[in-house]
Amino acid sequence: MKRLTLALMSAYISVASASPEALDDVRTTIGEWATAEKAISRESLQWQEERVLLEDLLIVADKRVAKLEAIIEEHEGFVSTADAKRLELLDQSERVAADVQQIESFLVKMERGLRELKPRLPEPLQEELEPVYQRLPLQADETTLGLGERMQSVVNLLGKIREFDAKISLSESIRALPGSEVEVSFRTLWVGLGQAYYLAPNDAGYGKLGTAGWEWHSQPELAAKIQECIALVEGRSTEPKLIELPVALKEGAVK
């Protein structure tokens, strides 16, 4: 650009002594050059300012990109952890489903068995367990009860039945004498779940478990011995003694 300026000045000097027309052309050229020089300077300055601004924007953009990359990387870690947790939960869900199925099968079997056992239980135990029996579902696929509630009922029934079987119980009831329609007051001595003896006005006997429930047999000669046993159970007699009574070892046989 300086060379162009020197050339123009040289041309101006060389034509200084030339005709007026030539001198006007040189002046016009120099004016145009000065205008162009100013425009170039202005554009150059504007470009410098814009370059600084662009460099600042690039720095900001680089920082944002780095931040976004860090966020993406962090979320990728979260996604991987979430996928692993989801697979773990699916595995646990499958195991729980298998356990639930096993528990369901167990409950169906136990509920059916307890319902079949009910008529064979001693009368006072049946009465005591009736509210719990009412909670047993008739159809497992139609009940709205949860497994926990059903399991609790089964456990309660089994516990009460086992408790009764491990002790001697005394109950009072009104029922007909064996072979008669006359109802009288009975005192019944239950020895666990499988043997019983009763004492009634003018009668006594024993009970054994039959195919359809409890069967009662009159044997009045047992009255005194049964009375002694009742006195021991009630605590009215503390003298230890051996009392012989008939025992049903199996259905249909009494010794």
Side-chain angles (χ1 to χ4, degrees):
M1 189 65 66
K2 291 182 178 180
R3 292 179 179 178
L4 179 59
T5 302
L6 293 174
L8 289 174
M9 291 180 65
S10 175
Y12 180 79
I13 294 172
S14 61
V15 296
S17 56
S19 62
E21 293 80 5
L23 186 58
D24 289 337
D25 290 338
V26 171
R27 288 174 177 168
T28 300
T29 300
I30 292 174
E32 292 176 353
W33 168 80
T35 302
E37 185 75 11
K38 290 179 181 179
I40 291 173
S41 298
R42 186 170 57 253
E43 291 293 334
S44 177
L45 180 60
Q46 184 177 356
W47 162 244
Q48 291 294 332
E49 293 175 351
E50 290 180 354
R51 184 175 64 82
V52 172
L53 178 60
L54 289 173
E55 288 177 350
D56 292 340
L57 291 176
L58 285 174
I59 293 173
V60 173
D62 288 341
K63 291 182 179 179
R64 291 187 63 186
V65 169
K67 184 176 181 180
L68 290 174
E69 289 177 346
I71 293 174
I72 292 172
E73 184 178 355
E74 183 179 0
H75 279 74
E76 287 178 349
F78 290 156
V79 171
S80 300
T81 302
D83 288 341
K85 188 64 177 179
R86 182 175 61 84
L87 293 175
E88 180 183 351
L89 291 175
L90 287 175
D91 184 56
Q92 290 179 1
S93 177
E94 292 175 356
R95 292 200 302 270
V96 168
D99 292 342
V100 168
Q101 182 62 40
Q102 186 174 1
I103 294 173
E104 175 74 23
S105 300
F106 168 78
L107 286 175
V108 170
K109 180 179 178 180
M110 293 303 299
E111 289 165 350
R112 181 173 60 249
L114 286 168
R115 284 194 297 270
E116 294 173 354
L117 178 63
K118 182 182 178 182
R120 302 168 64 84
L121 295 175
E123 292 175 4
L125 184 58
Q126 287 190 42
E127 294 177 2
E128 179 185 355
L129 297 181
E130 182 61 27
V132 186
Y133 264 104
Q134 292 294 331
R135 294 199 292 268
L136 290 184
L138 296 177
Q139 297 294 333
D141 56 350
E142 296 178 359
T143 181
T144 58
L145 296 175
L147 293 181
E149 294 176 273
R150 293 169 61 189
M151 179 65 76
Q152 184 177 9
S153 297
V154 168
V155 170
N156 286 343
L157 288 172
L158 292 175
K160 292 293 185 181
I161 292 171
R162 183 175 181 179
E163 179 183 343
F164 191 95
D165 190 40
K167 65 182 181 180
I168 297 176
S169 305
L170 182 63
S171 68
E172 296 185 9
S173 61
I174 304 293
R175 65 172 180 268
L177 290 169
S180 172
E181 295 182 355
V182 179
E183 292 188 344
V184 296
S185 176
F186 275 77
R187 303 195 76 193
T188 306
L189 194 67
W190 303 90
V191 182
L193 298 173
Q195 189 68 46
Y197 305 93
Y198 73 88
L199 190 64
N202 303 318
D203 193 19
Y206 65 89
K208 66 184 182 68
L209 191 58
T211 55
W214 283 86
E215 299 173 354
W216 300 96
H217 302 270
S218 178
Q219 200 167 339
E221 65 271 20
L222 298 176
K225 293 182 178 180
I226 295 174
Q227 183 63 55
E228 287 185 83
C229 291
I230 291 176
L232 287 171
V233 171
E234 291 180 329
R236 291 184 287 108
S237 175
T238 59
E239 181 182 352
K241 61 180 68 177
L242 181 63
I243 303 174
E244 294 185 3
L245 290 169
V247 177
L249 299 179
K250 60 180 180 179
E251 292 182 3
V254 178
K255 292 186 179 180

PDB file of all heavy atoms in Angstrom, residues 162-186:
ATOM      1  N   ARG A 162     -52.986 -78.038  67.638  1.00  0.00           N
ATOM      2  CA  ARG A 162     -51.855 -78.681  68.306  1.00  0.00           C
ATOM      3  C   ARG A 162     -51.903 -78.452  69.821  1.00  0.00           C
ATOM      4  O   ARG A 162     -51.603 -79.359  70.606  1.00  0.00           O
ATOM      5  CB  ARG A 162     -50.544 -78.136  67.728  1.00  0.00           C
ATOM      6  CG  ARG A 162     -49.306 -78.783  68.310  1.00  0.00           C
ATOM      7  CD  ARG A 162     -48.066 -78.295  67.623  1.00  0.00           C
ATOM      8  NE  ARG A 162     -46.880 -78.939  68.168  1.00  0.00           N
ATOM      9  CZ  ARG A 162     -45.646 -78.704  67.737  1.00  0.00           C
ATOM     10  NH1 ARG A 162     -45.447 -77.832  66.758  1.00  0.00           N
ATOM     11  NH2 ARG A 162     -44.628 -79.329  68.279  1.00  0.00           N
ATOM     12  N   GLU A 163     -52.278 -77.257  70.232  1.00  0.00           N
ATOM     13  CA  GLU A 163     -52.371 -76.946  71.653  1.00  0.00           C
ATOM     14  C   GLU A 163     -53.422 -77.822  72.337  1.00  0.00           C
ATOM     15  O   GLU A 163     -53.202 -78.345  73.446  1.00  0.00           O
ATOM     16  CB  GLU A 163     -52.719 -75.464  71.825  1.00  0.00           C
ATOM     17  CG  GLU A 163     -52.861 -75.008  73.267  1.00  0.00           C
ATOM     18  CD  GLU A 163     -53.285 -73.553  73.370  1.00  0.00           C
ATOM     19  OE1 GLU A 163     -53.159 -72.826  72.363  1.00  0.00           O
ATOM     20  OE2 GLU A 163     -53.754 -73.152  74.451  1.00  0.00           O
ATOM     21  N   PHE A 164     -54.562 -78.010  71.687  1.00  0.00           N
ATOM     22  CA  PHE A 164     -55.634 -78.838  72.264  1.00  0.00           C
ATOM     23  C   PHE A 164     -55.187 -80.293  72.364  1.00  0.00           C
ATOM     24  O   PHE A 164     -55.513 -80.995  73.335  1.00  0.00           O
ATOM     25  CB  PHE A 164     -56.890 -78.731  71.402  1.00  0.00           C
ATOM     26  CG  PHE A 164     -58.118 -79.309  72.031  1.00  0.00           C
ATOM     27  CD1 PHE A 164     -58.991 -78.507  72.732  1.00  0.00           C
ATOM     28  CD2 PHE A 164     -58.399 -80.676  71.931  1.00  0.00           C
ATOM     29  CE1 PHE A 164     -60.132 -79.039  73.327  1.00  0.00           C
ATOM     30  CE2 PHE A 164     -59.527 -81.208  72.521  1.00  0.00           C
ATOM     31  CZ  PHE A 164     -60.400 -80.393  73.226  1.00  0.00           C
ATOM     32  N   ASP A 165     -54.442 -80.754  71.371  1.00  0.00           N
ATOM     33  CA  ASP A 165     -54.014 -82.156  71.338  1.00  0.00           C
ATOM     34  C   ASP A 165     -53.000 -82.463  72.433  1.00  0.00           C
ATOM     35  O   ASP A 165     -52.797 -83.636  72.776  1.00  0.00           O
ATOM     36  CB  ASP A 165     -53.420 -82.481  69.966  1.00  0.00           C
ATOM     37  CG  ASP A 165     -53.184 -83.968  69.777  1.00  0.00           C
ATOM     38  OD1 ASP A 165     -54.031 -84.773  70.200  1.00  0.00           O
ATOM     39  OD2 ASP A 165     -52.120 -84.340  69.214  1.00  0.00           O
ATOM     40  N   ALA A 166     -52.367 -81.436  72.976  1.00  0.00           N
ATOM     41  CA  ALA A 166     -51.299 -81.663  73.960  1.00  0.00           C
ATOM     42  C   ALA A 166     -51.793 -81.579  75.399  1.00  0.00           C
ATOM     43  O   ALA A 166     -50.981 -81.600  76.329  1.00  0.00           O
ATOM     44  CB  ALA A 166     -50.183 -80.651  73.745  1.00  0.00           C
ATOM     45  N   LYS A 167     -53.115 -81.515  75.604  1.00  0.00           N
ATOM     46  CA  LYS A 167     -53.604 -81.360  76.979  1.00  0.00           C
ATOM     47  C   LYS A 167     -54.906 -82.127  77.165  1.00  0.00           C
ATOM     48  O   LYS A 167     -55.496 -82.642  76.204  1.00  0.00           O
ATOM     49  CB  LYS A 167     -53.822 -79.879  77.294  1.00  0.00           C
ATOM     50  CG  LYS A 167     -54.927 -79.228  76.463  1.00  0.00           C
ATOM     51  CD  LYS A 167     -55.065 -77.752  76.775  1.00  0.00           C
ATOM     52  CE  LYS A 167     -56.187 -77.112  75.959  1.00  0.00           C
ATOM     53  NZ  LYS A 167     -56.342 -75.677  76.257  1.00  0.00           N
ATOM     54  N   ILE A 168     -55.343 -82.197  78.420  1.00  0.00           N
ATOM     55  CA  ILE A 168     -56.631 -82.783  78.768  1.00  0.00           C
ATOM     56  C   ILE A 168     -57.596 -81.626  79.041  1.00  0.00           C
ATOM     57  O   ILE A 168     -57.302 -80.736  79.839  1.00  0.00           O
ATOM     58  CB  ILE A 168     -56.518 -83.686  80.008  1.00  0.00           C
ATOM     59  CG1 ILE A 168     -55.590 -84.858  79.706  1.00  0.00           C
ATOM     60  CG2 ILE A 168     -57.887 -84.189  80.432  1.00  0.00           C
ATOM     61  CD1 ILE A 168     -55.344 -85.751  80.901  1.00  0.00           C
ATOM     62  N   SER A 169     -58.736 -81.643  78.360  1.00  0.00           N
ATOM     63  CA  SER A 169     -59.697 -80.535  78.470  1.00  0.00           C
ATOM     64  C   SER A 169     -61.025 -81.052  78.988  1.00  0.00           C
ATOM     65  O   SER A 169     -61.405 -82.209  78.748  1.00  0.00           O
ATOM     66  CB  SER A 169     -59.897 -79.873  77.103  1.00  0.00           C
ATOM     67  OG  SER A 169     -58.661 -79.450  76.561  1.00  0.00           O
ATOM     68  N   LEU A 170     -61.726 -80.186  79.653  1.00  0.00           N
ATOM     69  CA  LEU A 170     -63.034 -80.507  80.204  1.00  0.00           C
ATOM     70  C   LEU A 170     -64.051 -79.521  79.651  1.00  0.00           C
ATOM     71  O   LEU A 170     -63.829 -78.304  79.670  1.00  0.00           O
ATOM     72  CB  LEU A 170     -63.007 -80.428  81.732  1.00  0.00           C
ATOM     73  CG  LEU A 170     -64.298 -80.790  82.480  1.00  0.00           C
ATOM     74  CD1 LEU A 170     -64.670 -82.246  82.233  1.00  0.00           C
ATOM     75  CD2 LEU A 170     -64.139 -80.509  83.971  1.00  0.00           C
ATOM     76  N   SER A 171     -65.165 -80.053  79.133  1.00  0.00           N
ATOM     77  CA  SER A 171     -66.204 -79.179  78.581  1.00  0.00           C
ATOM     78  C   SER A 171     -67.576 -79.634  79.046  1.00  0.00           C
ATOM     79  O   SER A 171     -67.760 -80.773  79.492  1.00  0.00           O
ATOM     80  CB  SER A 171     -66.151 -79.182  77.050  1.00  0.00           C
ATOM     81  OG  SER A 171     -66.530 -80.463  76.553  1.00  0.00           O
ATOM     82  N   GLU A 172     -68.548 -78.733  78.934  1.00  0.00           N
ATOM     83  CA  GLU A 172     -69.934 -79.047  79.277  1.00  0.00           C
ATOM     84  C   GLU A 172     -70.818 -78.720  78.090  1.00  0.00           C
ATOM     85  O   GLU A 172     -70.619 -77.710  77.404  1.00  0.00           O
ATOM     86  CB  GLU A 172     -70.378 -78.258  80.511  1.00  0.00           C
ATOM     87  CG  GLU A 172     -69.610 -78.609  81.772  1.00  0.00           C
ATOM     88  CD  GLU A 172     -70.157 -77.907  83.010  1.00  0.00           C
ATOM     89  OE1 GLU A 172     -71.245 -77.291  82.883  1.00  0.00           O
ATOM     90  OE2 GLU A 172     -69.522 -77.969  84.060  1.00  0.00           O
ATOM     91  N   SER A 173     -71.778 -79.564  77.822  1.00  0.00           N
ATOM     92  CA  SER A 173     -72.664 -79.353  76.678  1.00  0.00           C
ATOM     93  C   SER A 173     -73.980 -80.077  76.908  1.00  0.00           C
ATOM     94  O   SER A 173     -74.125 -80.884  77.829  1.00  0.00           O
ATOM     95  CB  SER A 173     -72.005 -79.839  75.391  1.00  0.00           C
ATOM     96  OG  SER A 173     -71.740 -81.247  75.476  1.00  0.00           O
ATOM     97  N   ILE A 174     -74.931 -79.768  76.032  1.00  0.00           N
ATOM     98  CA  ILE A 174     -76.238 -80.426  76.056  1.00  0.00           C
ATOM     99  C   ILE A 174     -76.359 -81.240  74.774  1.00  0.00           C
ATOM    100  O   ILE A 174     -76.261 -80.696  73.669  1.00  0.00           O
ATOM    101  CB  ILE A 174     -77.395 -79.411  76.147  1.00  0.00           C
ATOM    102  CG1 ILE A 174     -77.228 -78.512  77.376  1.00  0.00           C
ATOM    103  CG2 ILE A 174     -78.740 -80.129  76.162  1.00  0.00           C
ATOM    104  CD1 ILE A 174     -77.369 -79.242  78.694  1.00  0.00           C
ATOM    105  N   ARG A 175     -76.581 -82.544  74.935  1.00  0.00           N
ATOM    106  CA  ARG A 175     -76.787 -83.378  73.752  1.00  0.00           C
ATOM    107  C   ARG A 175     -77.545 -84.645  74.169  1.00  0.00           C
ATOM    108  O   ARG A 175     -77.714 -84.935  75.355  1.00  0.00           O
ATOM    109  CB  ARG A 175     -75.465 -83.734  73.069  1.00  0.00           C
ATOM    110  CG  ARG A 175     -74.523 -84.584  73.871  1.00  0.00           C
ATOM    111  CD  ARG A 175     -73.346 -85.027  72.988  1.00  0.00           C
ATOM    112  NE  ARG A 175     -72.406 -85.857  73.704  1.00  0.00           N
ATOM    113  CZ  ARG A 175     -71.333 -85.409  74.339  1.00  0.00           C
ATOM    114  NH1 ARG A 175     -71.070 -84.101  74.355  1.00  0.00           N
ATOM    115  NH2 ARG A 175     -70.536 -86.256  74.969  1.00  0.00           N
ATOM    116  N   ALA A 176     -77.960 -85.382  73.190  1.00  0.00           N
ATOM    117  CA  ALA A 176     -78.751 -86.584  73.444  1.00  0.00           C
ATOM    118  C   ALA A 176     -77.848 -87.728  73.895  1.00  0.00           C
ATOM    119  O   ALA A 176     -76.697 -87.840  73.459  1.00  0.00           O
ATOM    120  CB  ALA A 176     -79.518 -86.989  72.192  1.00  0.00           C
ATOM    121  N   LEU A 177     -78.390 -88.567  74.733  1.00  0.00           N
ATOM    122  CA  LEU A 177     -77.671 -89.769  75.158  1.00  0.00           C
ATOM    123  C   LEU A 177     -77.501 -90.717  73.975  1.00  0.00           C
ATOM    124  O   LEU A 177     -78.323 -90.719  73.043  1.00  0.00           O
ATOM    125  CB  LEU A 177     -78.451 -90.467  76.272  1.00  0.00           C
ATOM    126  CG  LEU A 177     -78.503 -89.756  77.628  1.00  0.00           C
ATOM    127  CD1 LEU A 177     -79.522 -90.436  78.527  1.00  0.00           C
ATOM    128  CD2 LEU A 177     -77.124 -89.755  78.281  1.00  0.00           C
ATOM    129  N   PRO A 178     -76.432 -91.528  73.979  1.00  0.00           N
ATOM    130  CA  PRO A 178     -76.255 -92.504  72.896  1.00  0.00           C
ATOM    131  C   PRO A 178     -77.472 -93.427  72.784  1.00  0.00           C
ATOM    132  O   PRO A 178     -77.945 -93.974  73.777  1.00  0.00           O
ATOM    133  CB  PRO A 178     -75.009 -93.277  73.330  1.00  0.00           C
ATOM    134  CG  PRO A 178     -74.280 -92.354  74.221  1.00  0.00           C
ATOM    135  CD  PRO A 178     -75.329 -91.564  74.940  1.00  0.00           C
ATOM    136  N   GLY A 179     -77.986 -93.549  71.561  1.00  0.00           N
ATOM    137  CA  GLY A 179     -79.143 -94.404  71.323  1.00  0.00           C
ATOM    138  C   GLY A 179     -80.435 -93.833  71.835  1.00  0.00           C
ATOM    139  O   GLY A 179     -81.427 -94.565  71.959  1.00  0.00           O
ATOM    140  N   SER A 180     -80.487 -92.541  72.147  1.00  0.00           N
ATOM    141  CA  SER A 180     -81.694 -91.925  72.679  1.00  0.00           C
ATOM    142  C   SER A 180     -81.850 -90.526  72.093  1.00  0.00           C
ATOM    143  O   SER A 180     -80.911 -89.937  71.555  1.00  0.00           O
ATOM    144  CB  SER A 180     -81.620 -91.837  74.211  1.00  0.00           C
ATOM    145  OG  SER A 180     -82.691 -91.086  74.726  1.00  0.00           O
ATOM    146  N   GLU A 181     -83.061 -90.021  72.165  1.00  0.00           N
ATOM    147  CA  GLU A 181     -83.328 -88.656  71.705  1.00  0.00           C
ATOM    148  C   GLU A 181     -83.446 -87.685  72.871  1.00  0.00           C
ATOM    149  O   GLU A 181     -83.703 -86.500  72.679  1.00  0.00           O
ATOM    150  CB  GLU A 181     -84.612 -88.626  70.882  1.00  0.00           C
ATOM    151  CG  GLU A 181     -84.512 -89.434  69.585  1.00  0.00           C
ATOM    152  CD  GLU A 181     -85.777 -89.347  68.764  1.00  0.00           C
ATOM    153  OE1 GLU A 181     -86.755 -88.725  69.262  1.00  0.00           O
ATOM    154  OE2 GLU A 181     -85.800 -89.888  67.639  1.00  0.00           O
ATOM    155  N   VAL A 182     -83.258 -88.195  74.074  1.00  0.00           N
ATOM    156  CA  VAL A 182     -83.361 -87.359  75.265  1.00  0.00           C
ATOM    157  C   VAL A 182     -82.062 -86.580  75.456  1.00  0.00           C
ATOM    158  O   VAL A 182     -80.979 -87.166  75.530  1.00  0.00           O
ATOM    159  CB  VAL A 182     -83.642 -88.219  76.513  1.00  0.00           C
ATOM    160  CG1 VAL A 182     -83.715 -87.334  77.757  1.00  0.00           C
ATOM    161  CG2 VAL A 182     -84.917 -89.017  76.344  1.00  0.00           C
ATOM    162  N   GLU A 183     -82.165 -85.271  75.489  1.00  0.00           N
ATOM    163  CA  GLU A 183     -80.982 -84.426  75.669  1.00  0.00           C
ATOM    164  C   GLU A 183     -80.786 -84.117  77.147  1.00  0.00           C
ATOM    165  O   GLU A 183     -81.724 -83.760  77.847  1.00  0.00           O
ATOM    166  CB  GLU A 183     -81.128 -83.114  74.881  1.00  0.00           C
ATOM    167  CG  GLU A 183     -81.105 -83.314  73.379  1.00  0.00           C
ATOM    168  CD  GLU A 183     -81.061 -81.998  72.630  1.00  0.00           C
ATOM    169  OE1 GLU A 183     -81.346 -80.955  73.263  1.00  0.00           O
ATOM    170  OE2 GLU A 183     -80.748 -82.012  71.431  1.00  0.00           O
ATOM    171  N   VAL A 184     -79.550 -84.298  77.583  1.00  0.00           N
ATOM    172  CA  VAL A 184     -79.191 -84.033  78.982  1.00  0.00           C
ATOM    173  C   VAL A 184     -77.868 -83.286  79.007  1.00  0.00           C
ATOM    174  O   VAL A 184     -77.201 -83.091  77.984  1.00  0.00           O
ATOM    175  CB  VAL A 184     -79.064 -85.362  79.770  1.00  0.00           C
ATOM    176  CG1 VAL A 184     -80.399 -86.081  79.844  1.00  0.00           C
ATOM    177  CG2 VAL A 184     -78.010 -86.252  79.145  1.00  0.00           C
ATOM    178  N   SER A 185     -77.464 -82.882  80.200  1.00  0.00           N
ATOM    179  CA  SER A 185     -76.208 -82.164  80.379  1.00  0.00           C
ATOM    180  C   SER A 185     -75.044 -83.155  80.461  1.00  0.00           C
ATOM    181  O   SER A 185     -75.086 -84.100  81.259  1.00  0.00           O
ATOM    182  CB  SER A 185     -76.270 -81.312  81.639  1.00  0.00           C
ATOM    183  OG  SER A 185     -75.025 -80.686  81.884  1.00  0.00           O
ATOM    184  N   PHE A 186     -74.072 -82.919  79.648  1.00  0.00           N
ATOM    185  CA  PHE A 186     -72.887 -83.773  79.602  1.00  0.00           C
ATOM    186  C   PHE A 186     -71.675 -83.018  80.125  1.00  0.00           C
ATOM    187  O   PHE A 186     -71.515 -81.814  79.872  1.00  0.00           O
ATOM    188  CB  PHE A 186     -72.593 -84.182  78.149  1.00  0.00           C
ATOM    189  CG  PHE A 186     -73.356 -85.371  77.669  1.00  0.00           C
ATOM    190  CD1 PHE A 186     -74.696 -85.249  77.313  1.00  0.00           C
ATOM    191  CD2 PHE A 186     -72.753 -86.613  77.550  1.00  0.00           C
ATOM    192  CE1 PHE A 186     -75.404 -86.328  76.851  1.00  0.00           C
ATOM    193  CE2 PHE A 186     -73.460 -87.701  77.080  1.00  0.00           C
ATOM    194  CZ  PHE A 186     -74.797 -87.561  76.734  1.00  0.00           C
TER     195      PHE A 186
END
